[in-house]
Amino acid sequence: MASTSDIRDKLRRKHRALRASLERRRDDTQEVTGGEEEEVAETLRRSLRTQRQRRRKKLLEKMNADESWVEEEVAGAVVEEDGTVQVFHRDERSDDAAELGAVASPSGRPPRELPPLPTPKENTMERRMREKLKAARSKAESLLLQEEPASRLQALRERDTRTRFDREAGVEPRPRRDDASPPLAGRATLRDAVRRVGMDAQTETGLPTAEESYNFFTFNFDPEPEEKHHPRQHKKREQDKGEEPGEDEEERQQDEEEEEEEERGDEGGEDLFLIEQSDKDFVEVKRAEYVGYYERVQRERELFFVPSTRTVPASRKLPENMQPRFLEDEGLYVGERPVVSRTNENIMENRILRQDQDKKWFGDDGRVIVLPDPIKESPTRPPLFHMEGELDPALQTVYRKAVRAKNTSRYITGAGDAQGDFQLDVDVSGLIFSHHPLFSREHVLGARLAQLYDQYLSKQQKNLTGLLTDKLNGLRNTIRNMLELHAGQGLSQATQHRIAEYTQEIRYTRQMRDASQEKDRILMKSIVKVWKELKALREFQRFTNTPYKLYLRREEVDRDFDEQQHKAEIQAEVAELQAEAEEHYEKMMSDYRRMHEEWKRWRRKQKALKTKKKKRRQTSLEEDEEEESEEELGEEPPRPEQPQEPDPEAVEQQVREKAARIRRKPGEAVLVPELTASCSVTPSDQCPRAEFARRQDVSKRSLFIKVLYNGKVVSRTDSRSLSADFRVHFGQIFNLKIVNWPESIELQVFETVGTSTTQMADVFIPIPEASILTGRAPSEEVEFSSDQRVMFNHEGVGSGVPFSFESDGSNRLTLLTSGKVSCCVSWAVGEDNVPLAPPIAHPTGAIHSGIRQMDAIACIGASGVNDMKKLRKWAADSRLDPNDPNNASVMQLLSMVSGGEENVPDYFRLEQLQEEFNFVPDEELDKSRRFRLLRLRSQEVGEFRNYKNVPALEREVSDKVFQEYEKRLREREIVDTKDHLDAHRALVAKYLQKVRESVINRFLIAKHHFLLSDLVVEEEVPTIGGPGTGVLGLNLFKLAEPKRPLKPRRKERKKVSAQNLSDGDIKLLLNVIRAYDLPVRKPQSSKPPATSKPGRSFTEPFPAAQSSHSTIQGSDWPMNQVLIRPFVEVTFQRTVLQTSTAEGPNPCWNEELLLSFTAPNGDYSTSSLQSVKDEVFINVFDEVVHDVSKGERDWNGFHACVEKHWLGSVKIPFSTIYLQSRIDGTFKVEMPPVLLGYSKERGLVSEGGYDAIRSLSEGAFITLFITIEPQLVPGETIREKMKDVKFESQEDERLLLASQFFERDAAQHFPARPCLTTVIDINGKSVFVTRYIRPLNPPQELLDLAPNASQEATELVARYVALIPSLPDTVSFAGVCDLWSTCDQFLTLLAGDEEEHAVLLCNYFLAMGKKAWLIIGTAIPEGHSAYVLTYEQNRYVIWNPSSGQYYGQYDTFCPLQAVGCLINADNVWFNLQMYDAPARMSFDVSKSKFWKPFFSRAFSHPGLSSVQPEELVYQRTDKAAAAELQDRIEKILREKIMEWRPRHPTRWNRYCTSTLRHFLPKLERSGGHDVAEEHRLELQSLLGDYRISGFPLHMPFSEIRPIIEAVYSTGVHNVEASNVEFALAAYVHPYPNNVLSVWIYLASLIRTR
Amino acid sequence: MAELHIIGQILGARGFPQNSVFCKWGIHAGGAWRLLSGSREGQTQIDAPQAGEMAYWSHPIDLHYTTKGLQGWPKLHLQVLHQDSFGRCQLYGYGYCHIPSSAGHHRLQCVTWCPEGSWQEQLTQSFVGGGPQLRSPDLIYSGADRYRLQTVAMGMVELELTVILRHFDRHGVEC
């Protein structure tokens, strides 16, 4: 009890504090806002009060209704709990109020929760109630005081829960409050609301209504929380249900208590508001609450019920003493139970068992009663029958068969998937010959007549003359009308302008009309003429061959009218012409007057001048002449001639003449020709023999037409015999189901005579547009002709043969076979009227089209819409005559498209509101550099193909990035001659660029075709044994190998695919082993400049130099001394590395150089690596050390100057290294033909076997080993990939198949040997290789140079071919494949790779009457390459086409390493011999044991025609251009050399230069042979005082860049001696067809005195 | 100038009558959208899973769009096709889903459906394969009256997409 009172006290205090704070707050706000605030607070208070009143009222009612004993209890234990509730409630409200104070103060809005309803009535009510309450309370209190123990006991007696209640509340009041209060509070308000319903009615009476009281007893006041809190109580209740009403009562009591508590708080409310209290009482600082886990679990265990997952025994689920029944066993139908897991079921059962009426959930079998599984086995859906008929066409489905996806969208781009078939209908209806070899003369005339008549008819139909006449009349009328309208009045400017325009128009129309009239008349005349001739011929030969008969119908005309018209016409014309002439005259006159005026003025001046002069002369004779000349006037203007007055007579005369010429005379009948075929043809038996023979011949002939689609024969017509009128009717329709995109449709006309068939002509038919469908397409007549020469000995006139109609054979005429095929090609229409045509706008760029036709705009994309506006504009500008039949189609189109003005339909926009919601306009998107860069990169535009790291910010993308690209775009068409020095080369470069682009596009498909090995890179599984692959087994053997074998071999390394590489990963490994036969220095023949020098001029670092130096100096040194100190310098991608210096002409370095490699743009993909154009330059230098000239030497030390003299170089393109993966061999060092200061000395030291071999060949050699570290997987060329992707080809299917088989067979047996049967031409089509071989004439000039000596001529030709610059295909067509161009293409392009060179050379040799073959093989350094083999004087000679060198079969230094196959015009032979090195094999192709021919007896040569032209046409080269080029090269090189020596002055020795220039042509003439000696001597004698080192460079000309590059690599400019002088001369020798041979002579001179 | 990156993969498909399926996909975006890089359509390989029901393609999708408006947010449409043991292809389902508009990683499941033919067609289909296909495949995502189509629910295509948005906030779009 004490506790309760304590709590109550506490509550009260709190209440008070709250009020105080509220009050204070009010005060605070009052200060700020004044009276308004007060009002708010007042209303607040009032409303609070009213609410309480309401409750109180209810309480009173209840009190009235109940017995007073209730209150006793109320005062007891229950109060405590409710008290807490009340506190919370209050708290909340105060919070509200506080909030109100804070929030509402600025606005002064009344709070929504507390509606102000203070009415006077209520006030009285309140008072009354308070009184009542007071009374009640006093009563209760007294009762409480008196009877408390008793009531308590009573309560205890009644229910034992009470104790628990007490204890609980006592033990832990705080947590409970926290837990339970919110819902309770919520409930309280809810209840309030419920009660309020009936409130207004009750207020007056103070009595509950019937409804209220009913509610009171029946309303269920949320018993759940109680249940939760008191599970035990529940159980009890379950056991004893009779207690329930009591429980309810308790509930009610609680409620009442609550109300009362409230009331009690309110009691002291009025005065508490006034007490000031601090904030601290209002706000309480609490600790963050935390309930320990264990505690929480404990508590939760009390609160929650967790059903167990254990199986419930059946006995518990069934009523006692019952056995479970299984209905299914008893034969009753039980539906299938839905699948529920056992655990879940157990949980459910356990839970149900806790519930009351637990048993009702269980069935007889002891399981939970369930409905059978509701899910149906098959889906059902009510069919929509009523909509069946009118299904939207878009919704319609089409049944597609399951098909093998063989062709889908592979051939026809943009065809989409499974679009079905496309079908072309080719209707070949017939053939009419306009000339045929079997035409007789009469036929020729007849055909001509028919042709003329056709012309006449078509002209008649157009009726151009009539139209123009009408127009003319119309125009005249218009002018007349205008003039009449404005008669007298002055014409306005516009009208005048219009009249002038009309006059102009009239003039033009008249001319047109006259022309057309003239034509008509001429046509008519010629028809009549031909007809007359025909008649004459018939009479002459006395038989009729053709059924043509011409009738001339005369149409009489009204003479008078006609005459009148004629006259009028002439008059009008005359008038017009006169007016015109008048006008002209006027103009001329005005001109004349002006001129005349001028002339007069001049004359006057002249006169004045003269008089002046005279005077002057008279006055002072010594007048200087200067003035006179000043006074002199300009030249005398020509005296204008007066124009002639127009002569009306003449004009009229003219008009009349013309009319007589072109028009029929007035009154003359109109002639209308009519051609009929009514004339009877003379029967054959009445004809002369010749004619009879002809007719016989005609009847023997029959014709048929082959239909070719994309160059392949698809079908042919039946053969029909030629009728006597030379018409053939076929009337056949071919339905072509196509999978390839149509490229050409061709009809070949064949003629059969007896058994032999000849092709007469090809007719190419345009591919129809997709809108042309069968049934609607008009039949077209396509003309054809053939240039065959046919001659007969009968009446037939033949074709291509001159014949004449005249008996004397004059006036000869040559006619070629020609005719017309009438045919019609159109797209077929399917069964359901669907055109079987491919989509119209097939996109060009994309190749694979998954689901393309989805873009709405693209779908609409009508092709011509955009042009329509332009068309209109053009039509308006050019003032098309709408009446002109020529313009009919245009006008119709225009009228159809545009209903009115400028109503050209635009797109129907799907996104109409797009504009309004745009973030940015389009322009800004376009402007964005970053986006542009991204897009260009994704389009794989050359410059940006592998652009990495596009910046994230716009500003980081500079405009510079695009400069190059834009420049290229701009200059695509402009030919830049600056870079190329030669317009032709520039053009070629452009052309090559274009070809490359188109080829690359063409091969994109192939590029997207991946092989398994491209995608799956699998390590080889180590196996034991196995042929070749047994890695493990071999390795086991390797263990036993000696660690350092005597002859080490290079091991195969692991290959790395080039994907995940970055800069610096790839190194180029270059092993320079040794060199042979380098030239040696020649002692200066002039006196050694200072013999006293040795000894002091050389320094310590070069101990060996001493001897070498002395070699130079002392000419008396024996020859076997060191004559040269060569070293090798390797240049690759701006890195220069060099070996150490060795000695002697046969040095051995054996050094390894490591060069790093960077790919362009950091792109290490295969295609990119293949296209790397860089070359490895391997230069051999001689290190010459000599001292500095005396003057500069000082005493502190010795100065030596190291000079390097270039001896020769080897160039190896990186692409070769990449493709070969390693290059190992001995290469010939390219040396200049003349090396000043050096001579080729045969080493006297015998080196055993080498010597013998070396003597066979000239020049120096170097042994190299080059590879890439790590080893890269060379990308296969596309051709290898394309083995199963067939190229388009015009070859016969059978041939292709055979070639495929041949190649596969070859690859199977000798995988390393290249075998080539089909190659790809420049158009990307595969062509059989033998078609490239055909004898072709070499330039006559070359043959003239060496008329007799066959050997010389051969070499010359080879040299010519070698002079055509070489450009490997792999570089130019990166990642694409080998393309073979024909010889004329090659000569036009002037660039090609080894194959083209070889083909050309081979063809030249064939033309020169040699036996020549093309060798396809492997060579160093080119890799797969083509050489030429000739058979001369019982031995085979191998020619390197790109260098012009030739080797004997047994030459060891022949770069050709392996021979794969031989090709000539007739056959291809594949090498079946054991060895493929040329020295070890036989070239006798007739031996089938050694060579496997492609065409054998089983498969004979089908007579393939060559793709090469019949002969090559050479253009003479412009000598002047060559001279100009020579000057430019020299100038550029000079500048470059000076540029490369920025710190030294570069002096040019003019004398030497001119001497050198003099030598160069000699060198060219001799081909660089055998001039060295005399040459040197000559030079030496000239320049005795100088030490010269120099050499001529020779190269074919392609661009200036390689020349500069070559000059740079020689390092001549690096001479640092101060007194050095240079000499440079260039010479360009032109060969036919712009092939240029460039010589550069470079020398450095050092004065020795 | 807002940008949208879609990076992810078509993971695979499950729930189709046969497992060996492949998928043709495409992305459809409104007129305001411009593709900067990436391919907007493609086709996966055929996966014939030997174990498990799911056919995995793991087909990469990498697209970079820029847009000047929000209309026509990209949608991904799919066609699942089945290749049978004879190497013949037939349609198994159409489906489409929106590219998520919030940044981050998303795992999407795109359900597919297939038009149901008449009973004759069904009979044919069950014996010789093939099946009805839409005449105009753009109905997949622009379905106006699609409810009138008799369709069968087919399997589900799983996608994993990561969406990166850029500068949308500049234009007042909160994603």
PDB file of all heavy atoms in Angstrom, chain A residues 98 1107 1605 1625:
ATOM      1  N   ALA A  98       4.564  20.527 -25.823  1.00  0.00           N
ATOM      2  CA  ALA A  98       5.850  21.206 -25.979  1.00  0.00           C
ATOM      3  C   ALA A  98       6.147  21.448 -27.447  1.00  0.00           C
ATOM      4  O   ALA A  98       6.573  22.521 -27.854  1.00  0.00           O
ATOM      5  CB  ALA A  98       6.945  20.355 -25.365  1.00  0.00           C
ATOM      6  N   SER A1107      97.969  -1.853 -85.101  1.00  0.00           N
ATOM      7  CA  SER A1107      98.337  -2.644 -86.263  1.00  0.00           C
ATOM      8  C   SER A1107      97.479  -2.268 -87.452  1.00  0.00           C
ATOM      9  O   SER A1107      97.970  -2.188 -88.574  1.00  0.00           O
ATOM     10  CB  SER A1107      98.205  -4.135 -85.938  1.00  0.00           C
ATOM     11  OG  SER A1107      96.865  -4.391 -85.588  1.00  0.00           O
ATOM     12  N   GLU A1605      65.980   7.379 -94.967  1.00  0.00           N
ATOM     13  CA  GLU A1605      66.237   6.353 -93.966  1.00  0.00           C
ATOM     14  C   GLU A1605      67.540   5.612 -94.294  1.00  0.00           C
ATOM     15  O   GLU A1605      68.391   5.420 -93.435  1.00  0.00           O
ATOM     16  CB  GLU A1605      65.053   5.395 -94.054  1.00  0.00           C
ATOM     17  CG  GLU A1605      64.501   4.697 -92.876  1.00  0.00           C
ATOM     18  CD  GLU A1605      64.252   5.483 -91.626  1.00  0.00           C
ATOM     19  OE1 GLU A1605      64.011   6.710 -91.642  1.00  0.00           O
ATOM     20  OE2 GLU A1605      64.332   4.817 -90.632  1.00  0.00           O
ATOM     21  N   ALA A1625      75.612  13.080-104.586  1.00  0.00           N
ATOM     22  CA  ALA A1625      75.023  13.197-105.912  1.00  0.00           C
ATOM     23  C   ALA A1625      73.884  12.206-106.024  1.00  0.00           C
ATOM     24  O   ALA A1625      73.932  11.118-105.446  1.00  0.00           O
ATOM     25  CB  ALA A1625      76.066  12.893-106.970  1.00  0.00           C
TER      26      ALA A1625
END
